[in-house]
Amino acid sequence: LLLLLVLVVVSCSVLDLRARVRAVLEGIKHERLDVRLHSSRNLVKLLRDYQSEMRQFVLGSEQVDPIIDELICALLAGAHGASSELLSVIGECFGIIGAVDPGRLRQVKKAVQTRIIHQAGDVAFAVELLTQLTRAFKAAVEPRVQDCCAYALQVVLKEYDCSKESSERGKKIWASFGDDQWEVLRPHLNSKYVFEVKKAKDVGTSPFYSASSALTYSSWLNTWLCHLISQVNDDMAKKIFSCCSVAFKYDVQLAQFLLPFVLRLVILQNNRSASEEIRVELLAVLNDAVTADKGQDSSVAKELRRLSVQMVFNVVHHLEHCQRAAAAEVGIASGKSTSSSSASSKDDHPITVFLKGISADLLSKVAYQYLSYSRCLMYFEAHARDRPGSIDYSFAQKIYIGLEDADGIAGVFSAQKDGDLSLLDKALYHESTGDLPSARACFESAIHQEPGNVVAHQGYLRCLLNSNRAMHAWDRINGSLGEYPYWSSELKSMQLEAAWRLSKWSTMEVCHPTNPSGMVSRDGLLCQALVAAKNTRYDMLLDTLSSGRLEAMSSVASACHESDAYRHAYPAILRLHMLEELQRQVGSPETGLTTFIPCRRHWEDALELVQDSYHLREPILCLRRTMLGMFPSSEFVAKELSRAWLLSAQAARRAGLSVAAYSSLVNVQSVHLPEVYLEKSLLQWQKGFYQQAVLELQRDVNHEWGTDPSDTQSQVAKTNAVHARALLQLGCWMEEKALYGCDTVRKQYEDIARLHPEWPDGHFHLAKYCDHVQQNSDDLDSASKDNYLLRTVKSFGLCLSHGNKYLYQAMPRLLTIWLDYHQRHDGEQTSSTGRSNNRKSSAEKAEQARQKKVLLSLCQEVRTLYSKLAPYQFFTAFSQLVSRISHSNPQVAELLEDIISNLVVTYPQQSLWMMVAVCKSSVKERAARCQSVVEKAKSLDANLAKFVKDFLDLANKLADVCNRKCDTMVNYLSMDKDFRSLVRLVSDRNFSPIILPLQSSLTPNLPKCADQVDSHQVFPTNAATIRSFRDKVEVLPSMQKPKKIWICCSDGLSYEMLCKPKDDLRKDCRLMEFNSLVNKYLYQDAESRRRNLYIRTYAVIPLSEECGLLEWVKHTTGLRHVLTKLYKENPKKHMTSKELRSLMKTIDIQTSLERKREFFLNELLPRHPPLFYEWFLRTFPDPSTWYAARNSYARTCAVMSMVGYLLGLGDRHGENVLFDMTNGDCVHVDFNCLFNLGETFQWPERVPFRLTHNMVHALGVSGVEGAFRHCCEVTMQVARSQHGSLMSVLNTFVYDPLVEWAAGVGSQGQIQKAQTALGRIKRRLEGDNGMKGLPLSVEGQVHQQIQEAMDIDNLCQMWYGWAAYL
């Protein structure tokens, strides 16, 4: 009872913490800066008080707690437009939270859809203008400025008839605002401000821009905007803009808002001289940015140039978006018209003509200079499309380096010929991909060729510092500065970094936080902070830390404009993390430098938060070593110092940097740490010295490990844990290289389990090895195999008892062994029923008795686990359990019913949705067993009876909606009229709360630690429950007539679901389970997490074997729809359906391959040029959002391509491949064509997945050689490493076969079909390429499938409805 009370208190405190954080975040989102500052300071205190709890929100379960996502998003939003003081406080918040790996976060930032406002009289423009004027009015400090804003508000409200109650436009505008805005706007409806118009001063002639004069940005913008307003012809627009001119001269933000609209209106007037003036003004800014000598500029000129360039980009971006919208409208019109004039009107549009005068190449170069890399890439690719034969791959590589996109760099590198690459290009490629030894060699060769090349020297020094060779870098820097003293500004930052890494206090003490060019140096600030800490000057330390946070937050604030802001800001977040560690450890008089305060657990958790990358974690470890060096020498400090070196060695080894790893290990030799011996052997193994690694580790295990009688229980446990890790590594090596016999290896694993019984890894590897032996050792007799099998099950059970690390591997395999053994045994008994017991030999009787004993032991082991393990651990294999519900063995069937019924009692909402189709199975035995499970569950929980009745009634009535027949012409049904009983059911006040079956509500979120089982919430506690239905039911125009319904839920939202008839959705459901498991493994893999790889999944709920519900995938559009629309805008190239059908009459399945190839290349492809890239430009006009969406497209497309290939997924025509209009994700739907069923079509499918020329072209200049190929390889590597558990999900097809497999065969025939289909998947997961020979490597397998998908001979033989030409 006391334990339960403690758990309740802990749970309540955690819930309270979430509520408190959310309450503080509301203040950070406030408009007023003082409120945001006060709330941020409160947040700092809250985070410091509950730092360990906040870190458990990140590390405590499979998925990061949503409060962390909310917190980081709010802080990023709060940084936008913040004061220096507020930025510093927000930086402190980020530091306390820690540098959480971006791959752990599931932040979904939707694309901002830019609205095209054609007239100044539009309601949308009025709302935006009044919003800007309201903001300016509130922000005004001086009375005159506020009066000017008030006058503008008065005129604008009057012009838009906001004061007239009869005006529809005024009502729409007024309804767009809330109470805060009404408070400002209402007094100005009847105000009487009068503004005295003075005679305009002569502002000269265009261009007005000149960086060489004393011009400021605001004066240039004001002058140019007033000049443009004078050229506007529309009376209403001119009056509105003119009244705003009295306000925007005091408010730059208002001027920046108005300029694109005014400029576009002037261009649309088709006044060529005015348009030319505008073009000249824009080019004056761009050309100045390219040609200016920035080193000689004053700070005013730099600021003018930076802000002016940004304004030009905003203007061009606005015009391009208008141009694309106009082109779409003209294209649709021209598609309906036969006149040539309408078809050519797009090219004659004033905006199109204007933009032709601004070079995409120039825009790209200017964007690169001002570090706007995503914009630079967008214009670079536009220039490359115009001139496909002159792609500057060297420049493309620099862009991707700026974007820190290693896959993009590799793709550009692969697209170039080796002879076209300079040494520096090769060096930068190797450096960006983490191959530092190769990069260092290339930089060194470049230095030999050109000793005075400072870029080569900088690259070489970066490689040294990132390889943990700071002393070598220090000597090299000093030597270079002696030879080239004028390189001081270029090398200063690296010199300071080497200084603080090496604790060169004499250099650090004389350093200055700014470099010779006047820029703030982050390493200079860190040096200054360390010196202040060493000299115990705490006031100076806190000031320096504040300056350091401000420097880092300037990068964070800049990244806030990007689509994936946190990932772009991550290097700066890492610096904030380091500054917080410095303050926590040595930043206050209370801690001091006399005694080191133990903080190992805190440091371990802080490091685990950080992205698993050597070059990101090593600076943190270097800083810790420098801080440890400040304290007086002691055994404890020496151990912590050695542990930091050991962590560096481990990270370097994992990164493949063997020299850096060995260098770090050398520094650990002076202190006895057992982990060192293991790390030395791991490094030897990595170098290829396998025998030496094994012998050394065996020697160290026998001689170096042991416990001292004086050791505490905690010390003994730690020593045993390290000892167990060493034994496990030794066992894995013995198994991998087959160095010893089965018994020796098994005993090795058993020793681990005995030494460290609470460690799941030891039990798991012992179980895995025993399982491997019993499956693959033909020389073992059945008794020996069964002994191995029993040991396998027992060890899997022990593994599951100590945590969830191997849950998805251990649980499915354990259940498969148990269930299959009984099935096989029953089969053997059945085959011998023709013989009486008296006629059996004594050996047969003994064998039968032995098997029964094994059966009993297996059942007893599973029953023990059933009573011991948490219910959610069995729930992860719920589909597997339900698929075997009709097991023939009575003991097994009874235990299965017990397990499933307990899960129904524990998780009734999720369990019933997942087994409702089994209750209606066409196999009577399965339906009866399912009913028995439900009855048993009701007997265990009396309160469940009403819920089950309501649930089954709801499921039956939803099935009626699915199966309702509709006439061909019916497009809509009424829920109130056509499905009255369903409406009555859910509207009953006594109707049970039943969750809506969304993917988020059905997916368990597991705790990482075994001790969190009782307090952890596996499913969302606030899941939406069904309340009512909207009356509208949309009947979709496909052959099966699926219905789209809207369900209103308890959270106040309505959700769309698809009721699909005449389809066995169990196939789709299991594929979603497979995809969800793939997502878990992708999330666990560091390389996959860095790329944010995942499959878009959605809930699939079979209601019977012939119908079911599907979660509607919002904001998506089909590939065919996108491309058809784009081709219709180009009627000269577009091929109509009638033309296509006419041409296809000349081609049939019997036509020769040569003729098909010729037809495809000469008739279809020329009429369907690649245009898919245009959809990304239109849907995601903002450059950073465009780049993020394009990356999401490449990654999600790659993941699903590999999964589709493994599963034999076909029928990937343009309606089944969708794209998310909010983030670019590729979403696949309709998984009816699995297990290579497409190969049996009349026109057999020949490609493993869809990768047509449109899809390749949209990937960018490097095509498949960039992110797509690398993400394919990572996905395939993850899938192959987890093939056992992935196959366990698919094994449910064997025991619950699909309806389509039952045609013409009995139950054994169905099982045979399932086993054949799954056998093919298993071979692919093992690298089988479908031909004779050895299995392919991951890279080889991926390359082969990409080639097959793009092969013209394969594409030209696809059925024309699949549309390989799109």
Side-chain angles (χ1 to χ4, degrees):
L1 184 61
L2 180 61
L3 177 62
L4 181 61
L5 183 61
V6 169
L7 289 172
V8 169
V9 171
V10 169
S11 179
C12 289
S13 67
V14 169
L15 290 172
D16 183 53
L17 177 57
R18 292 189 181 94
R20 290 172 66 184
V21 171
R22 288 191 174 101
V24 176
L25 294 184
E26 288 301 315
I28 292 176
K29 298 172 186 175
H30 201 274
E31 289 182 356
R32 289 183 55 177
L33 283 175
D34 56 340
V35 176
R36 289 159 64 186
L37 181 60
H38 178 72
S39 299
S40 299
R41 285 172 176 157
N42 288 339
L43 182 60
V44 167
K45 186 177 185 307
L46 186 64
L47 293 176
R48 286 203 186 280
D49 291 343
Y50 294 95
Q51 189 172 29
S52 59
E53 289 84 354
M54 295 300 296
R55 287 193 171 164
Q56 280 306 303
F57 286 156
V58 180
L59 304 174
S61 60
E62 280 187 315
Q63 299 290 331
V64 171
D65 193 286
I67 192 63
I68 298 296
D69 284 285
E70 293 175 35
L71 179 57
I72 289 174
C73 287
L75 290 174
L76 287 171
H80 179 61
S83 63
S84 299
E85 189 177 8
L86 177 57
L87 279 177
S88 182
V89 178
I90 291 176
E92 192 171 357
C93 292
F94 273 122
I96 299 168
I97 297 166
V100 180
D101 180 357
R104 293 179 184 271
L105 304 175
R106 292 296 185 214
Q107 301 175 77
V108 179
K109 184 168 182 179
K110 294 186 178 181
V112 178
Q113 300 297 323
T114 305
R115 289 177 293 180
I116 300 299
I117 302 169
H118 295 284
Q119 302 292 334
D122 289 354
V123 169
F125 178 74
V127 171
E128 290 192 31
L129 178 57
L130 286 168
T131 302
Q132 286 289 334
L133 287 170
T134 303
R135 177 203 53 76
F137 180 85
K138 287 181 175 181
V141 178
E142 298 179 12
R144 174 167 176 75
V145 177
Q146 199 168 59
D147 288 344
C148 290
C149 294
Y151 170 74
L153 281 169
Q154 170 188 296
V155 175
V156 172
L157 288 168
K158 183 178 180 181
E159 285 299 314
Y160 287 107
D161 301 327
C162 291
S163 59
K164 296 179 181 178
E165 295 183 3
S166 60
S167 170
E168 286 299 321
R169 183 171 63 176
K171 287 180 181 178
K172 289 179 182 178
I173 293 171
W174 201 248
S176 302
F177 296 112
D179 292 338
D180 290 344
Q181 284 117 334
W182 287 344
E183 186 180 346
V184 175
L185 294 174
R186 192 173 281 112
H188 297 95
L189 290 172
N190 302 306
S191 59
K192 305 294 183 181
Y193 286 97
V194 177
F195 188 80
E196 183 181 350
V197 181
K198 296 180 180 180
K199 186 178 179 181
K201 296 180 182 179
D202 183 17
V203 295
T205 58
S206 180
F208 304 105
Y209 178 85
S210 175
S212 60
S213 66
L215 189 69
T216 63
Y217 171 69
S218 59
S219 63
W220 167 72
L221 186 60
N222 184 52
T223 301
W224 188 29
L225 184 52
C226 288
H227 177 70
L228 288 172
I229 290 172
S230 69
Q231 295 181 317
V232 173
N233 294 333
D234 182 86
D235 292 337
M236 180 182 180
K238 193 164 189 173
K239 187 172 183 180
I240 289 172
F241 295 147
S242 297
C243 78
C244 291
S245 66
V246 302
F248 66 61
K249 66 180 178 181
Y250 300 108
D251 191 280
V252 174
Q253 196 172 333
L254 178 60
Q256 290 176 155
F257 165 75
L258 287 171
L259 179 64
F261 296 106
V262 177
L263 187 144
R264 182 170 60 85
L265 281 176
V266 173
I267 293 174
L268 287 174
Q269 290 171 178
N270 223 357
N271 184 329
R272 292 190 178 182
S273 63
S275 296
E276 181 61 19
E277 274 190 7
I278 295 172
R279 190 182 69 83
V280 168
E281 192 76 32
L282 296 179
L283 290 177
V285 176
L286 295 173
N287 289 324
D288 176 68
V290 172
T291 59
D293 184 0
K294 297 177 180 59
Q296 304 300 319
D297 279 344
S298 65
S299 58
V300 174
K302 287 179 181 177
E303 186 71 0
L304 168 65
R305 187 174 288 112
R306 183 182 68 81
L307 294 173
S308 301
V309 164
Q310 184 59 52
M311 191 67 243
V312 169
F313 283 146
N314 291 344
V315 165
V316 174
H317 165 70
H318 179 83
L319 293 175
E320 287 173 338
H321 196 47
C322 295
Q323 177 200 21
R324 291 192 176 97
E329 292 177 7
V330 172
I332 293 170
S334 63
K336 298 176 182 178
S337 172
T338 57
S339 66
S340 59
S341 60
S342 62
S344 62
S345 59
K346 287 189 296 181
D347 295 331
D348 299 333
H349 194 277
I351 295 179
T352 304
V353 173
F354 177 84
L355 287 174
K356 284 180 180 178
I358 301 176
S359 165
D361 185 42
L362 176 61
L363 289 167
S364 178
K365 289 175 180 175
V366 175
Y368 182 81
Q369 287 195 10
Y370 284 86
L371 310 183
S372 181
Y373 297 117
S374 53
R375 189 185 303 275
C376 176
L377 181 64
M378 189 168 76
Y379 287 125
F380 173 83
E381 292 193 356
H383 180 66
R385 285 192 295 271
D386 293 337
R387 297 172 178 80
S390 58
I391 298 175
D392 186 354
Y393 286 108
S394 179
F395 185 45
Q397 182 170 309
K398 290 177 182 176
I399 298 171
Y400 279 113
I401 289 172
L403 289 164
E404 297 181 350
D405 185 345
D407 291 339
I409 298 165
V412 172
F413 186 82
S414 301
Q416 300 178 80
K417 297 178 181 178
D418 191 63
D420 297 337
L421 296 168
S422 68
L423 275 171
L424 285 179
D425 287 338
K426 294 178 182 178
L428 291 171
Y429 163 71
H430 291 306
E431 184 184 9
S432 64
T433 55
D435 186 3
L436 296 181
S438 298
R440 194 168 64 247
C442 289
F443 280 126
E444 197 162 19
S445 297
I447 291 170
H448 286 312
Q449 289 183 8
E450 193 178 351
N453 188 340
V454 69
V455 175
H457 282 271
Q458 287 175 320
Y460 185 77
L461 291 170
R462 279 197 309 272
C463 292
L464 291 176
L465 289 169
N466 291 332
S467 301
N468 200 19
R469 300 179 66 182
M471 182 58 75
H472 189 177
W474 174 260
D475 294 337
R476 188 78 179 230
I477 291 168
N478 290 331
S480 298
L481 289 176
E483 188 174 357
Y484 305 101
Y486 46 86
W487 282 359
S488 177
S489 61
E490 285 85 355
L491 303 185
K492 187 67 175 178
S493 178
M494 294 180 186
Q495 185 183 35
L496 293 174
E497 183 179 353
W500 70 257
R501 286 189 178 213
L502 296 168
S503 299
K504 298 285 185 181
W505 296 106
S506 59
T507 301
M508 293 162 65
E509 285 172 354
V510 298
C511 81
H512 197 271
T514 57
N515 58 31
S517 63
M519 299 294 289
V520 174
S521 166
R522 63 191 64 155
D523 291 290
L525 288 168
L526 187 55
C527 287
Q528 197 174 57
L530 287 167
V531 169
K534 186 174 186 296
N535 296 331
T536 63
R537 297 177 59 186
Y538 296 112
D539 290 342
M540 178 181 173
L541 172 60
L542 294 177
D543 288 343
T544 308
L545 289 174
S546 181
S547 298
R549 290 185 179 114
L550 194 58
E551 180 276 326
M553 283 303 298
S554 64
S555 300
V556 175
S558 299
C560 288
H561 301 287
E562 304 290 334
S563 178
D564 195 356
Y566 186 75
R567 196 176 292 271
H568 283 89
Y570 193 66
I573 301 291
L574 195 71
R575 298 200 296 277
L576 294 168
H577 178 118
M578 293 170 65
L579 294 174
E580 173 60 25
E581 287 205 0
L582 178 59
Q583 178 172 345
R584 179 186 174 92
Q585 202 60 43
V586 296
S588 68
E590 290 78 13
T591 56
L593 294 177
T594 55
T595 306
F596 180 77
I597 299 175
C599 58
R600 182 180 301 174
R601 179 61 187 273
H602 174 82
W603 275 5
E604 287 174 353
D605 287 348
L607 198 64
E608 190 179 351
L609 291 173
V610 179
Q611 186 175 317
D612 189 8
S613 167
Y614 174 72
H615 80 276
L616 293 175
R617 291 189 173 186
E618 180 58 18
I620 298 174
L621 294 169
C622 285
L623 178 63
R624 290 177 182 178
R625 290 193 289 268
T626 302
M627 287 192 294
L628 287 165
M630 298 180 190
F631 291 90
S633 297
S634 67
E635 183 180 353
F636 185 81
V637 169
K639 277 194 173 183
E640 289 302 315
L641 198 57
S642 295
R643 197 170 298 280
W645 281 115
L646 178 63
L647 290 170
S648 289
Q650 292 170 344
R653 173 181 54 79
R654 289 196 296 268
L657 303 172
S658 55
V659 175
Y662 183 75
S663 174
S664 297
L665 275 178
V666 168
N667 290 281
V668 194
Q669 300 301 318
S670 58
V671 177
H672 178 77
L673 285 176
E675 298 97 318
V676 176
Y677 304 108
L678 173 59
E679 189 58 34
K680 283 169 58 181
S681 298
L682 286 167
L683 190 56
Q684 292 279 36
W685 185 274
Q686 188 181 65
K687 292 178 180 178
F689 305 132
Y690 305 126
Q691 192 69 26
Q692 185 178 348
V694 172
L695 293 174
E696 285 189 8
L697 190 55
Q698 282 180 326
R699 182 198 64 203
D700 293 333
V701 164
N702 294 329
H703 296 95
E704 300 295 340
W705 267 283
T707 57
D708 194 294
S710 62
D711 287 347
T712 64
Q713 188 174 356
S714 174
Q715 289 172 324
V716 170
K718 288 179 181 179
T719 302
N720 287 344
V722 180
H723 191 179
R725 282 179 53 209
L727 290 175
L728 177 60
Q729 191 60 66
L730 202 54
C732 291
W733 286 345
M734 290 176 176
E735 181 182 352
E736 182 181 341
K737 295 298 180 183
L739 300 173
Y740 297 90
C742 291
D743 289 340
T744 305
V745 178
R746 177 176 54 80
K747 288 177 182 176
Q748 179 76 18
Y749 285 129
E750 288 173 347
D751 288 343
I752 301 165
R754 281 193 295 270
L755 181 66
H756 195 6
E758 295 183 354
W759 191 36
D761 296 56
H763 297 298
F764 175 74
H765 283 85
L766 173 58
K768 205 167 92 168
Y769 182 71
C770 291
D771 191 24
H772 175 73
V773 171
Q774 67 93 9
Q775 288 187 84
N776 297 286
S777 296
D778 297 330
D779 55 338
L780 290 178
D781 58 28
S782 59
S784 298
K785 285 188 175 183
D786 283 349
N787 286 335
Y788 271 103
L789 186 142
L790 286 169
R791 183 70 216 206
T792 300
V793 171
K794 186 174 182 62
S795 296
F796 273 140
L798 289 169
C799 170
L800 292 169
S801 301
H802 294 104
N804 299 316
K805 184 176 180 180
Y806 298 103
L807 175 59
Y808 289 102
Q809 294 94 327
M811 180 61 79
R813 183 57 190 155
L814 182 152
L815 293 174
T816 299
I817 291 172
W818 168 50
L819 296 166
D820 282 1
Y821 190 90
H822 287 76
Q823 202 85 29
R824 186 169 65 250
H825 174 67
D826 289 347
E828 290 171 1
Q829 281 190 321
T830 304
S831 65
S832 60
T833 51
R835 297 167 57 192
S836 67
N837 195 51
N838 293 331
R839 293 176 60 189
K840 292 180 182 178
S841 66
S842 58
E844 287 177 323
K845 291 178 182 178
E847 177 64 16
Q848 187 175 355
R850 188 193 62 76
Q851 288 181 345
K852 285 184 178 180
K853 189 175 179 180
V854 174
L855 290 171
L856 187 63
S857 298
L858 284 172
C859 271
Q860 186 59 44
E861 191 66 41
V862 174
R863 187 167 288 281
T864 302
L865 291 174
Y866 161 58
S867 61
K868 184 178 180 182
L869 298 181
Y872 71 78
Q873 291 179 293
F874 278 99
F875 187 83
T876 58
F878 189 80
S879 294
Q880 184 180 2
L881 291 166
V882 172
S883 73
R884 307 296 287 272
I885 200 170
S886 58
H887 202 285
S888 58
N889 185 279
Q891 285 179 303
V892 177
E894 182 184 0
L895 183 51
L896 265 175
E897 283 192 15
D898 288 344
I899 294 172
I900 299 172
S901 60
N902 182 54
L903 292 176
V904 172
V905 171
T906 311
Y907 309 114
Q909 300 274 11
Q910 291 77 17
S911 300
L912 289 175
W913 277 121
M914 294 177 69
M915 65 183 291
V916 63
V918 186
C919 296
K920 303 178 183 179
S921 174
S922 58
V923 180
K924 292 182 179 179
E925 185 182 8
R926 291 179 63 79
R929 290 279 180 90
C930 184
Q931 186 61 38
S932 175
V933 165
V934 173
E935 292 302 320
K936 183 174 286 189
K938 289 194 287 187
S939 68
L940 293 172
D941 183 358
N943 297 324
L944 207 58
K946 175 71 166 58
F947 176 82
V948 170
K949 180 181 181 303
D950 287 348
F951 182 90
L952 293 177
D953 286 346
L954 176 66
N956 289 331
K957 296 186 188 312
L958 286 172
D960 292 342
V961 176
C962 295
N963 296 323
R964 176 66 175 265
K965 293 183 179 179
C966 300
D967 294 334
T968 307
M969 302 303 293
V970 173
N971 297 322
Y972 294 97
L973 296 173
S974 167
M975 192 66 75
D976 292 335
K977 294 178 181 178
D978 298 297
F979 307 103
R980 195 171 299 169
S981 59
L982 174 59
V983 174
R984 279 201 303 266
L985 176 69
V986 297
S987 60
D988 189 331
R989 67 175 61 184
N990 296 319
F991 182 71
S992 303
I994 297 174
I995 66 166
L996 185 68
L998 302 172
Q999 185 76 10
S1000 57
S1001 303
L1002 301 177
T1003 305
N1005 180 27
L1006 307 182
K1008 282 190 175 180
C1009 304
D1011 57 2
Q1012 295 177 320
V1013 168
D1014 295 321
S1015 60
H1016 184 77
Q1017 293 291 342
V1018 179
F1019 293 103
T1021 55
N1022 58 345
T1025 56
I1026 298 172
R1027 290 287 176 85
S1028 62
F1029 294 85
R1030 285 191 190 175
D1031 183 55
K1032 179 181 176 182
V1033 178
E1034 183 179 351
V1035 182
L1036 302 186
S1038 64
M1039 186 187 305
Q1040 297 169 330
K1041 296 294 182 183
K1043 291 97 181 163
K1044 182 180 177 183
I1045 62 174
W1046 283 261
I1047 304 178
C1048 303
C1049 292
S1050 57
D1051 58 1
L1053 302 176
S1054 63
Y1055 297 85
E1056 299 160 71
M1057 301 290 284
L1058 187 69
C1059 301
K1060 193 171 184 181
K1062 301 177 185 178
D1063 199 353
D1064 187 358
L1065 290 181
R1066 292 178 298 164
K1067 188 187 296 184
D1068 297 63
C1069 179
R1070 287 167 194 162
L1071 184 56
M1072 281 299 117
E1073 291 177 8
F1074 183 89
N1075 289 350
S1076 296
L1077 193 56
V1078 169
N1079 278 342
K1080 289 183 184 295
Y1081 293 137
L1082 289 173
Y1083 182 77
Q1084 291 171 6
D1085 181 78
E1087 283 298 304
S1088 165
R1089 201 164 57 240
R1090 184 172 67 80
R1091 293 172 171 85
N1092 195 24
L1093 300 186
Y1094 58 89
I1095 303 172
R1096 281 286 295 272
T1097 58
Y1098 49 89
V1100 179
I1101 307 295
L1103 296 173
S1104 69
E1105 293 174 354
E1106 295 181 344
C1107 70
L1109 293 177
L1110 291 97
E1111 183 178 351
W1112 187 265
V1113 186
K1114 291 184 177 182
H1115 312 298
T1116 55
T1117 183
L1119 177 65
R1120 183 189 291 274
H1121 173 75
V1122 168
L1123 293 176
T1124 302
K1125 183 178 179 182
L1126 290 172
Y1127 285 127
K1128 282 183 177 179
E1129 294 173 17
N1130 295 272
K1132 292 182 179 179
K1133 294 183 178 180
H1134 175 58
M1135 181 179 286
T1136 64
S1137 300
K1138 184 177 180 180
E1139 286 180 276
L1140 182 61
R1141 284 194 297 270
S1142 176
L1143 282 171
M1144 290 306 300
K1145 289 179 181 178
T1146 63
I1147 303 292
D1148 58 30
I1149 190 67
Q1150 303 300 329
T1151 306
S1152 67
L1153 175 60
E1154 290 75 13
R1155 171 60 186 139
K1156 288 178 181 175
R1157 186 191 305 118
E1158 179 188 1
F1159 177 76
F1160 187 76
L1161 291 174
N1162 298 332
E1163 297 289 341
L1164 292 179
L1165 288 187
R1167 295 291 299 275
H1168 298 88
L1171 290 179
F1172 188 38
Y1173 72 89
E1174 182 68 24
W1175 179 78
F1176 286 94
L1177 291 170
R1178 292 185 183 184
T1179 311
F1180 311 98
D1182 177 71
S1184 63
T1185 312
W1186 165 82
Y1187 174 69
R1190 225 258 303 267
N1191 268 347
S1192 293
Y1193 156 64
R1195 291 165 179 168
T1196 51
C1197 186
V1199 175
M1200 200 57 213
S1201 294
M1202 290 299 99
V1203 171
Y1205 154 68
L1206 291 172
L1207 297 174
L1209 177 62
D1211 200 27
R1212 297 300 89 195
H1213 56 74
E1215 280 87 6
N1216 285 342
V1217 181
L1218 312 181
F1219 294 95
D1220 193 318
M1221 293 182 290
T1222 67
N1223 59 15
D1225 280 356
C1226 178
V1227 186
H1228 284 244
V1229 296
D1230 192 352
F1231 302 107
N1232 195 45
C1233 186
L1234 273 178
F1235 308 123
N1236 294 92
L1237 183 64
E1239 294 178 359
T1240 65
F1241 291 172
Q1242 183 180 357
W1243 284 66
E1245 294 197 351
R1246 299 180 179 274
V1247 293
F1249 45 84
R1250 188 177 191 95
L1251 193 61
T1252 54
H1253 69 298
N1254 258 300
M1255 296 181 71
V1256 173
H1257 188 267
L1259 292 169
V1261 291
S1262 56
V1264 298
E1265 297 305 325
F1268 183 82
R1269 180 183 292 276
H1270 287 85
C1271 293
C1272 285
E1273 291 171 355
V1274 171
T1275 304
M1276 184 62 75
Q1277 179 64 51
V1278 169
R1280 284 174 61 164
S1281 67
Q1282 302 291 347
H1283 67 277
S1285 50
L1286 291 175
M1287 288 303 301
S1288 68
V1289 175
L1290 299 175
N1291 280 333
T1292 55
F1293 283 110
V1294 176
Y1295 302 100
D1296 186 13
L1298 299 173
V1299 173
E1300 65 195 49
W1301 287 343
V1305 298
S1307 60
Q1308 288 302 315
Q1310 293 178 44
I1311 292 175
Q1312 184 62 42
K1313 281 187 175 183
Q1315 289 174 337
T1316 301
L1318 300 188
R1320 193 168 183 179
I1321 296 173
K1322 185 174 184 291
R1323 289 193 297 275
R1324 286 176 175 171
L1325 282 167
E1326 294 169 350
D1328 184 6
N1329 62 351
M1331 298 179 287
K1332 293 181 179 179
L1334 295 173
L1336 294 173
S1337 66
V1338 167
E1339 294 78 9
Q1341 192 175 17
V1342 168
H1343 178 73
Q1344 183 189 56
Q1345 299 313 313
I1346 289 176
Q1347 293 303 309
E1348 287 190 16
M1350 297 169 61
D1351 185 71
I1352 293 297
D1353 286 354
N1354 287 336
L1355 291 169
C1356 72
Q1357 296 183 77
M1358 295 291 289
W1359 178 55
Y1360 86 95
W1362 194 87
Y1365 50 85
L1366 289 181

